[in-house]
Structure formats: C-alpha cells, structure tokens
Amino acid sequence: MTAEYKVLGEVAVITLANPPVNGLGFATRVGITDGLAKALADDAVTSIVITGAGKAFSGGADIKEFGTPKALQDPNLLSVILALEASTKPIVAAIHSVCMGGGLELALGCHYRVVAPGTSIALPEVKLGLLPGAGGTQRLPRVLGVETALNMIVSGEAVKSEMLAGLPGQKLIDQLAGSAESLFDEAVIYAKSVAGKTGDALPLVRNLPCKHPQGDAYFQFARNMVGGMSKNYPAPLKCVDAVAAAAKMKFDDGLAEERRLFTGLMFTPESIALRHLFMAERAASKIPDVADDTPKREIKSVAVIGAGTMGGGISMNFLNAGIPVKILEMKQEALDRGLATIKRNYEAQVKKGKLKQDKYEQRMALLTTTLSYDELKDADLIIEAVFEELGVKEKVFKELDRVAKPGAILASNTSTLDVDKIAAFTERPQDVVGMHFFSPANVMKLLEVVRGAKTGKDVLATVMGVAKKIKKTAVVSGVCDGFIGNRMIEQYSRQAGFLLDEGATPQQVDRAVEKFGFAMGPFRMGDLAGNDIGWAIRKRRATERADMKYSRTADKLCELGRFGQKTGAGWYDYQAGKRDAIPSQVVLDLIEQHRKDEGIVPRKISDEEIVQRLVYALVNEGARILEDGIASKSGDIDMVYLTGYGFPIWRGGPMHYASQVGLYNVAEAMKRFAKNPRDDGNFWEPAPLIQKLVAEGKSFG
Ligand code: T1G
C-alpha cells in the first residue's frame, strides 16, 4: 500500500506516500481506506489528519492508471471520498505544495482543510480532456462560489492557497498555516481542537448551498464564452454542464450527472490524445541510456555566436530564464542590429502588458556583447547560430576549441548539417551537441537536441536540464539529414507537390490540412518560411539522392523568384505589408502548364486523400526514424510535431493519430498510394516497423 498509518496520541495520521506526486492509484486508495478503518476502530483516536509525503499533497488520480482496470477498481476515488465523508470522527486534510485534481477532490471530502501558503490548488482535468470526476464539480462551487469554481475548472489553472484563503465567504481553507514547515503541527493541533465532534456537528461540503443568482442566464453566457474558445475540445463545455448541475440539482443527483459527463469524456479521442501528450512530454526528457541521476554541468553563463534572427531569439530564451548571455559577432553593426531586435521584441511585450518594465530591464542587464572570441573563455555553454554552411561552422568550432574553457558545452544550432562532422572540428567531440531551435527561437517550444556519436551523456543530461529551465520541450535526435522534424516534413512536402501535379491547387491542399487541424498548410507554410529553403534542399538532393523525385512545380515557382511573403509573392500573392494569402492566377497557370508539359491529365482529388497522403507520409518516415534509432520513442516524434510543426494537439501527434486510426488501415492506404504512377511507390512501401506492428496487432508507443 502507498499510504502510511500512525497514531500520535489521540490523532491518527494517514500519509499518502506514492512518489513522485502521490497519485491516487489503487494501492494508495487502499491505504487510505485501511487507515480510516483503523482510526475509526481505535477508541483512543478522536480525530484524523490526512497529509502527503514528499513534494505534493497529491497530484490527483494516477494518470498512469488510466485505461487500466485498476483505475476503476474499488475502492475507486469516489468511494474513498464517500468513506471520508461518512467518518464519525473529524478528518483534517493537511495540504502543502500541490493539491490537484483528485487530490483536491479528496481534500474536499474531508471535514476541514489546513493549507500551507504557496500551495498550488487546481482541478486541471480539462487539460487532459476530462472534467473532475470525483465530486470536484459539485464540491468546489460549494466552497468557492459558482463563478470562481467554474473559472478554475474550465481553465484547469492552479491558484495559490493564500489567494483562495482571501476570498470572502470561501470555505475551502479552514486555516492557512503559518508556513509549509509548521503545516503538519498546525493540522494536528487543529484536529485536536475539533476532536469529539461527530454526526451533524461535522461539516460536510456536500451540505453547503450552491446557487447562482442569475442561474440559467449565467450558464448560457458561460457556454457561449467557453464554446467559442474550445473548438475541437469537448471537455470545457461539459465542465460548464457539470457545474450547472451543481447549482440546480440535489448533491447526489449532481454527483451522478458529473459521473455521466466524466465517463462520456474518458474515451473521447481528444482526451486519449491529451493524456498521451501529458506522458509523452515528460517521457521525452528521459533518454533511455542516460540515467536520471547523471551528473549535470553547471550552466551559469551562456555565449551565443551570431546576433541574427536565430542568435537573438536563442539569447532571449536564456535572458528570460535569468541566465547571463554574451553575444559574439564579427562586426559592430551586426551586434547593434541584433541588440536592437532583442530590444524591439521585449519592448513590444512590455507595450502589450506581457512583460513588466523592470523585468525587461533585468533581462537586458544580463546581456553583453563582444567582437572577440577570447571573451568567451568563461562561458559554460556556447551556442553557435551562424550561417548554415559547413565551412563557416568549421571556422567557428576551431575557434571555440581554442578559447572555450575545459568542460564548456559547445552547441550548434544547425538544422541540416552533420553534428558529428562539426564535433570533429574540435579536440573535444564529447562536449559537442546540436541544439536545434525553431524560428522564432524565443517563441517555439521545440528544441531538437542532436546527439553526436561522441556527445557525452553528462552533456546530454545537462542540455535536457537547460531545456527545461528555458521552458523548451526538448527531444533527443540522432544525427541524420533533417534530424526528426525536417526529415519528416520533407516527405510531407513531396506529397504536397505531387498533389499539385495530379490535380489539386495550393489552396485546396492548405484548406484540407488546416481543416484537419494543422495551424498552416504546406503552401502557406512555404510562403512564410521561404520557398527558397526547400529549393536549396532539392538542389542538394539532386546530387545526393537522385532517386528522390519531386514535383517540379516548386522549382518553377522559385525560378520566378516567388519565394513567398519575403518577396511579396509565392504560392500565393500578397498585398504590400499584408500577410493575407491570396490565390494566385500566375501559380494556377504555372501548375496547369506544368501538367501539360508532363502530359498529366488532372483528376479531382478528395480532401481525405490529401490529408492521408500528407499525414501518412509523416508516419511512414517517422517509423523509419524509429527503425534507424534517430528517435527513441514514437511519443518523441509526436512531441516534435506538436511543438514544432503545428500538428493539431487534440489529435496527439502523427504517430499517436496513426495508432488511433489503426496501423492496419494506415498500411492499407499506403499500399494504395504506392500504386499511383505519379507518386513514389518505393516511399509508400509501409516501413518494416509498421508492417511488424500490423502483423502483431499492435500500435506505436
Ligand atoms: N498521476 C501520475 N503521475 C503523475 C501525475 C498524476 N496525476 N502528475 C504528475 N505525475 C508524474 C509525472 O508523470 C512525472 O513522472 C512526475 O510526476 C513529475 O511530474 C478523478 C480523473 C503535479 C504540478 O492533471 O500538473 O485527478 O516523468 O514533471 O513539474 O477528477 O505533474 O518523473 O516518471 O510534471 O513538479 C489530475 C498533472 C489527474 C495533474 C507536478 N491531475 N500533473 O509538476 O513535475 S486526473 C493532473 C501536473 C484526476 C479526478 C481526475 C504536474 C504537477 P516521471 P512533472 P512538476
């Protein structure tokens, strides 16, 4: 059991002890009910304290148990809470650090709550595509009021205990402890003070009134607001329904309604996807052959080489985390330009009220510049973001090898070059790693950490820790062309080109994938990033991989200088100073002429085929990336696509989505695409890993 029981004088203490966050798994639930039974049977015990060991009171139901029989095995969470409510002896919850989800619901089933200041209190189930399923939607409105409770439940955001304790009329917190350190003693004293109370003298949250003065009108307003903000996500509106039930129904009827709504969400694809992401995001920081306790190098100062768009954005990440940054450039005017850009970005945030002036000044005070490599000698981590050409990287890394102190980590922001070759420019390949940021680097959450053959395990552990500090989702990639994300997006883009040849228009393709949920279709994305980037890669491919065929439309577009927004025209036309993508007759004529040149008779292509060919291209290449060991987990690939490429969150990422569709169905579609003479039959051979999983009736992950 993962709950401990002891008696201190006349106070029984039940301690949740299920690290890391006292998830209320089956063993913990059994521990609670066993402890409760002992306390009730012991005449010497006159009151009970429930508390949590370690870093949390409780992070809620055990997410790792979801979808398994244990999640619902009695005593399930609902019955544990009912048992607490039925106790004939007073129960005091002693709450510290984190009290979330089922953990808060458990506390609401107790008679009293003593809470440490600084405790994060939340019902975050909506972030998992669920709603509080153990009475939270019925009890929280009774202790905080309908509106405060509804805001917390629909947002899923944590609120600090001292803030809630200050709300007039709140009944969530009976006593705010002096400190986390004194919490337990204060809770025991509180328990003694209520000893002997029993029956109706014991306060139950369920008996508190729950009304809203405007009733239906308020909930209709809430539905309109929430409905408008939660497209593609069913849970938020169900949260409103559950809280409305609390305001309209008797408690037990409301509890039954909550249960109905909760079970209706548990198996929605959106909740399954969001729960997958919760685990995948945390699993991404785990590197199979790098132990969690691998010693990390201390990163107290960072140097960035290159003050361009990437260098500036990268620098801001560290400044935002309070880490001093020294930027090196070759010319003063480049430094001045880079600094001006960083200032402009911060000033824009201050203007929008997203950043306080004093914070802006603190961050700028951490930034220094230099024109000399010699001034980088004390940096703990040096990240180069210079021109994407191996010769330039060689010069930089040879200089870094000369000046950087022993133990400094030397990182390249390269997005396409071989990190092993870069490491070989130094005498310290074990200190070299790729840190591939995505533009804009200070905004995009994704960071591909590229592991060279000789990259040290402590270097990897350090960089993964730094990534968490600068709030990036870091995913480890092996060394290959394009790492994980760009290697997959190349196949996605190839399919987009073939679809134009065969009969689709850029706007049809973009509309289809944007309807599927992508933030931006491939052609709008090309116009934003610059079509010349893909053009350069295809030119390189023509020599390196002559077997890799592409539609020529993209090259013909670039030959017209239509690189996208930066040239005022790309796959779409753009009005000066505007980003609105306007379908272009020039492009449609170019595509039509190209079909004639190639002797292609255009055909009508369904949105379904468009989405399948683009998404399954990602899946097939993703499977090959797993086979090659470039990514270690399919969830890592999902995290790359969700945080770096605008894949719809509620679909869980390309690999998760394919598993939900069923790999058998995905493989059958691939085989159909392989028969298309205009396509690349070799590419559409389902990857061996997919064939193996289909044969075993399994999925990714
Ligand atoms: N169950 C199981 N494991 C959990 C967990 C949970 N609820 N919460 C966190 N973990 C694991 C996590 O996977 C990681 O594991 C480790 O703890 C540290 O997490 C009926 C149905 C609590 C604020 O949604 O918000 O109750 O990777 O890196 O930054 O109504 O975790 O080390 O193996 O995030 O200090 C509702 C989710 C559940 C809270 C701590 N509760 N967790 O943040 O650490 S549904 C939640 C968090 C529910 C009831 C419903 C955060 C945290 P590993 P971490 P952190």
PDB file of all heavy atoms in Angstrom, residues 608 612 616 665-676 684:
ATOM      1  N   GLU A 608      -9.861  13.969 -48.242  1.00  0.00           N
ATOM      2  CA  GLU A 608      -9.418  12.813 -47.450  1.00  0.00           C
ATOM      3  C   GLU A 608      -8.083  12.289 -47.986  1.00  0.00           C
ATOM      4  O   GLU A 608      -7.160  12.027 -47.230  1.00  0.00           O
ATOM      5  CB  GLU A 608     -10.466  11.703 -47.482  1.00  0.00           C
ATOM      6  CG  GLU A 608     -10.106  10.512 -46.603  1.00  0.00           C
ATOM      7  CD  GLU A 608     -11.013   9.303 -46.815  1.00  0.00           C
ATOM      8  OE1 GLU A 608     -11.466   9.111 -47.970  1.00  0.00           O
ATOM      9  OE2 GLU A 608     -11.260   8.584 -45.837  1.00  0.00           O
ATOM     10  N   GLN A 612      -4.615  12.197 -45.927  1.00  0.00           N
ATOM     11  CA  GLN A 612      -3.954  10.911 -45.695  1.00  0.00           C
ATOM     12  C   GLN A 612      -2.542  10.894 -46.274  1.00  0.00           C
ATOM     13  O   GLN A 612      -1.598  10.453 -45.635  1.00  0.00           O
ATOM     14  CB  GLN A 612      -4.789   9.789 -46.317  1.00  0.00           C
ATOM     15  CG  GLN A 612      -6.039   9.462 -45.522  1.00  0.00           C
ATOM     16  CD  GLN A 612      -6.745   8.220 -46.043  1.00  0.00           C
ATOM     17  OE1 GLN A 612      -6.379   7.679 -47.097  1.00  0.00           O
ATOM     18  NE2 GLN A 612      -7.745   7.769 -45.311  1.00  0.00           N
ATOM     19  N   TYR A 616       0.154  10.515 -43.524  1.00  0.00           N
ATOM     20  CA  TYR A 616       0.760   9.175 -43.507  1.00  0.00           C
ATOM     21  C   TYR A 616       2.205   9.213 -44.017  1.00  0.00           C
ATOM     22  O   TYR A 616       3.017   8.363 -43.672  1.00  0.00           O
ATOM     23  CB  TYR A 616      -0.077   8.196 -44.331  1.00  0.00           C
ATOM     24  CG  TYR A 616      -1.453   7.928 -43.759  1.00  0.00           C
ATOM     25  CD1 TYR A 616      -2.391   7.189 -44.467  1.00  0.00           C
ATOM     26  CD2 TYR A 616      -1.844   8.420 -42.514  1.00  0.00           C
ATOM     27  CE1 TYR A 616      -3.669   6.938 -43.967  1.00  0.00           C
ATOM     28  CE2 TYR A 616      -3.112   8.184 -42.000  1.00  0.00           C
ATOM     29  CZ  TYR A 616      -4.027   7.451 -42.731  1.00  0.00           C
ATOM     30  OH  TYR A 616      -5.282   7.216 -42.223  1.00  0.00           O
ATOM     31  N   ASN A 665      -5.146   0.040 -41.121  1.00  0.00           N
ATOM     32  CA  ASN A 665      -5.800   0.940 -42.086  1.00  0.00           C
ATOM     33  C   ASN A 665      -4.765   1.877 -42.725  1.00  0.00           C
ATOM     34  O   ASN A 665      -4.834   2.161 -43.918  1.00  0.00           O
ATOM     35  CB  ASN A 665      -6.882   1.760 -41.383  1.00  0.00           C
ATOM     36  CG  ASN A 665      -7.920   0.873 -40.726  1.00  0.00           C
ATOM     37  OD1 ASN A 665      -8.357  -0.118 -41.313  1.00  0.00           O
ATOM     38  ND2 ASN A 665      -8.282   1.187 -39.484  1.00  0.00           N
ATOM     39  N   VAL A 666      -3.823   2.334 -41.927  1.00  0.00           N
ATOM     40  CA  VAL A 666      -2.791   3.234 -42.455  1.00  0.00           C
ATOM     41  C   VAL A 666      -1.948   2.495 -43.491  1.00  0.00           C
ATOM     42  O   VAL A 666      -1.691   2.999 -44.588  1.00  0.00           O
ATOM     43  CB  VAL A 666      -1.909   3.767 -41.305  1.00  0.00           C
ATOM     44  CG1 VAL A 666      -0.720   4.557 -41.835  1.00  0.00           C
ATOM     45  CG2 VAL A 666      -2.732   4.637 -40.358  1.00  0.00           C
ATOM     46  N   ALA A 667      -1.567   1.269 -43.177  1.00  0.00           N
ATOM     47  CA  ALA A 667      -0.737   0.491 -44.110  1.00  0.00           C
ATOM     48  C   ALA A 667      -1.489   0.206 -45.395  1.00  0.00           C
ATOM     49  O   ALA A 667      -0.926   0.295 -46.499  1.00  0.00           O
ATOM     50  CB  ALA A 667      -0.287  -0.806 -43.445  1.00  0.00           C
ATOM     51  N   GLU A 668      -2.778  -0.088 -45.279  1.00  0.00           N
ATOM     52  CA  GLU A 668      -3.573  -0.352 -46.491  1.00  0.00           C
ATOM     53  C   GLU A 668      -3.637   0.898 -47.360  1.00  0.00           C
ATOM     54  O   GLU A 668      -3.519   0.833 -48.583  1.00  0.00           O
ATOM     55  CB  GLU A 668      -4.990  -0.789 -46.100  1.00  0.00           C
ATOM     56  CG  GLU A 668      -5.047  -2.210 -45.500  1.00  0.00           C
ATOM     57  CD  GLU A 668      -4.427  -3.259 -46.420  1.00  0.00           C
ATOM     58  OE1 GLU A 668      -4.930  -3.409 -47.557  1.00  0.00           O
ATOM     59  OE2 GLU A 668      -3.402  -3.855 -46.027  1.00  0.00           O
ATOM     60  N   ALA A 669      -3.781   2.062 -46.744  1.00  0.00           N
ATOM     61  CA  ALA A 669      -3.805   3.308 -47.524  1.00  0.00           C
ATOM     62  C   ALA A 669      -2.459   3.518 -48.203  1.00  0.00           C
ATOM     63  O   ALA A 669      -2.398   3.882 -49.394  1.00  0.00           O
ATOM     64  CB  ALA A 669      -4.122   4.488 -46.598  1.00  0.00           C
ATOM     65  N   MET A 670      -1.384   3.237 -47.499  1.00  0.00           N
ATOM     66  CA  MET A 670      -0.046   3.393 -48.095  1.00  0.00           C
ATOM     67  C   MET A 670       0.113   2.506 -49.326  1.00  0.00           C
ATOM     68  O   MET A 670       0.645   2.914 -50.357  1.00  0.00           O
ATOM     69  CB  MET A 670       1.028   3.049 -47.063  1.00  0.00           C
ATOM     70  CG  MET A 670       1.147   4.041 -45.933  1.00  0.00           C
ATOM     71  SD  MET A 670       2.399   3.473 -44.729  1.00  0.00           S
ATOM     72  CE  MET A 670       2.354   4.842 -43.578  1.00  0.00           C
ATOM     73  N   LYS A 671      -0.401   1.294 -49.217  1.00  0.00           N
ATOM     74  CA  LYS A 671      -0.279   0.373 -50.361  1.00  0.00           C
ATOM     75  C   LYS A 671      -1.053   0.911 -51.565  1.00  0.00           C
ATOM     76  O   LYS A 671      -0.616   0.779 -52.715  1.00  0.00           O
ATOM     77  CB  LYS A 671      -0.805  -1.013 -49.965  1.00  0.00           C
ATOM     78  CG  LYS A 671       0.100  -1.747 -48.964  1.00  0.00           C
ATOM     79  CD  LYS A 671      -0.553  -3.020 -48.465  1.00  0.00           C
ATOM     80  CE  LYS A 671       0.205  -3.640 -47.275  1.00  0.00           C
ATOM     81  NZ  LYS A 671      -0.595  -4.701 -46.606  1.00  0.00           N
ATOM     82  N   ARG A 672      -2.196   1.556 -51.294  1.00  0.00           N
ATOM     83  CA  ARG A 672      -2.951   2.168 -52.401  1.00  0.00           C
ATOM     84  C   ARG A 672      -2.134   3.297 -53.029  1.00  0.00           C
ATOM     85  O   ARG A 672      -1.999   3.400 -54.241  1.00  0.00           O
ATOM     86  CB  ARG A 672      -4.291   2.725 -51.896  1.00  0.00           C
ATOM     87  CG  ARG A 672      -5.340   1.688 -51.553  1.00  0.00           C
ATOM     88  CD  ARG A 672      -6.739   2.291 -51.475  1.00  0.00           C
ATOM     89  NE  ARG A 672      -6.813   3.375 -50.504  1.00  0.00           N
ATOM     90  CZ  ARG A 672      -7.008   3.218 -49.198  1.00  0.00           C
ATOM     91  NH1 ARG A 672      -7.102   1.981 -48.703  1.00  0.00           N
ATOM     92  NH2 ARG A 672      -7.099   4.248 -48.379  1.00  0.00           N
ATOM     93  N   PHE A 673      -1.520   4.122 -52.190  1.00  0.00           N
ATOM     94  CA  PHE A 673      -0.751   5.256 -52.717  1.00  0.00           C
ATOM     95  C   PHE A 673       0.443   4.745 -53.519  1.00  0.00           C
ATOM     96  O   PHE A 673       0.878   5.369 -54.485  1.00  0.00           O
ATOM     97  CB  PHE A 673      -0.282   6.167 -51.584  1.00  0.00           C
ATOM     98  CG  PHE A 673      -1.402   6.748 -50.756  1.00  0.00           C
ATOM     99  CD1 PHE A 673      -1.211   7.055 -49.422  1.00  0.00           C
ATOM    100  CD2 PHE A 673      -2.655   6.950 -51.315  1.00  0.00           C
ATOM    101  CE1 PHE A 673      -2.239   7.575 -48.647  1.00  0.00           C
ATOM    102  CE2 PHE A 673      -3.696   7.469 -50.557  1.00  0.00           C
ATOM    103  CZ  PHE A 673      -3.486   7.782 -49.220  1.00  0.00           C
ATOM    104  N   ALA A 674       0.967   3.596 -53.129  1.00  0.00           N
ATOM    105  CA  ALA A 674       2.159   3.059 -53.826  1.00  0.00           C
ATOM    106  C   ALA A 674       1.829   2.709 -55.275  1.00  0.00           C
ATOM    107  O   ALA A 674       2.709   2.705 -56.136  1.00  0.00           O
ATOM    108  CB  ALA A 674       2.673   1.831 -53.083  1.00  0.00           C
ATOM    109  N   LYS A 675       0.557   2.483 -55.579  1.00  0.00           N
ATOM    110  CA  LYS A 675       0.168   2.101 -56.946  1.00  0.00           C
ATOM    111  C   LYS A 675      -0.006   3.316 -57.854  1.00  0.00           C
ATOM    112  O   LYS A 675      -0.206   3.187 -59.064  1.00  0.00           O
ATOM    113  CB  LYS A 675      -1.134   1.291 -56.903  1.00  0.00           C
ATOM    114  CG  LYS A 675      -1.003  -0.076 -56.202  1.00  0.00           C
ATOM    115  CD  LYS A 675      -2.285  -0.859 -56.242  1.00  0.00           C
ATOM    116  CE  LYS A 675      -2.151  -2.157 -55.413  1.00  0.00           C
ATOM    117  NZ  LYS A 675      -3.171  -2.214 -54.365  1.00  0.00           N
ATOM    118  N   ASN A 676       0.049   4.501 -57.286  1.00  0.00           N
ATOM    119  CA  ASN A 676      -0.155   5.727 -58.075  1.00  0.00           C
ATOM    120  C   ASN A 676       1.114   6.042 -58.885  1.00  0.00           C
ATOM    121  O   ASN A 676       2.150   6.347 -58.302  1.00  0.00           O
ATOM    122  CB  ASN A 676      -0.460   6.876 -57.111  1.00  0.00           C
ATOM    123  CG  ASN A 676      -0.535   8.224 -57.804  1.00  0.00           C
ATOM    124  OD1 ASN A 676      -0.213   8.335 -58.994  1.00  0.00           O
ATOM    125  ND2 ASN A 676      -0.945   9.241 -57.064  1.00  0.00           N
ATOM    126  N   TRP A 684       6.172   4.619 -50.506  1.00  0.00           N
ATOM    127  CA  TRP A 684       4.914   4.194 -49.881  1.00  0.00           C
ATOM    128  C   TRP A 684       4.900   2.735 -49.437  1.00  0.00           C
ATOM    129  O   TRP A 684       3.922   2.275 -48.859  1.00  0.00           O
ATOM    130  CB  TRP A 684       3.717   4.489 -50.775  1.00  0.00           C
ATOM    131  CG  TRP A 684       3.298   5.916 -50.728  1.00  0.00           C
ATOM    132  CD1 TRP A 684       3.280   6.809 -51.767  1.00  0.00           C
ATOM    133  CD2 TRP A 684       2.872   6.650 -49.566  1.00  0.00           C
ATOM    134  NE1 TRP A 684       2.848   8.038 -51.336  1.00  0.00           N
ATOM    135  CE2 TRP A 684       2.597   7.970 -49.992  1.00  0.00           C
ATOM    136  CE3 TRP A 684       2.679   6.340 -48.222  1.00  0.00           C
ATOM    137  CZ2 TRP A 684       2.133   8.973 -49.115  1.00  0.00           C
ATOM    138  CZ3 TRP A 684       2.237   7.310 -47.342  1.00  0.00           C
ATOM    139  CH2 TRP A 684       1.962   8.622 -47.800  1.00  0.00           C
TER     140      TRP A 684
END
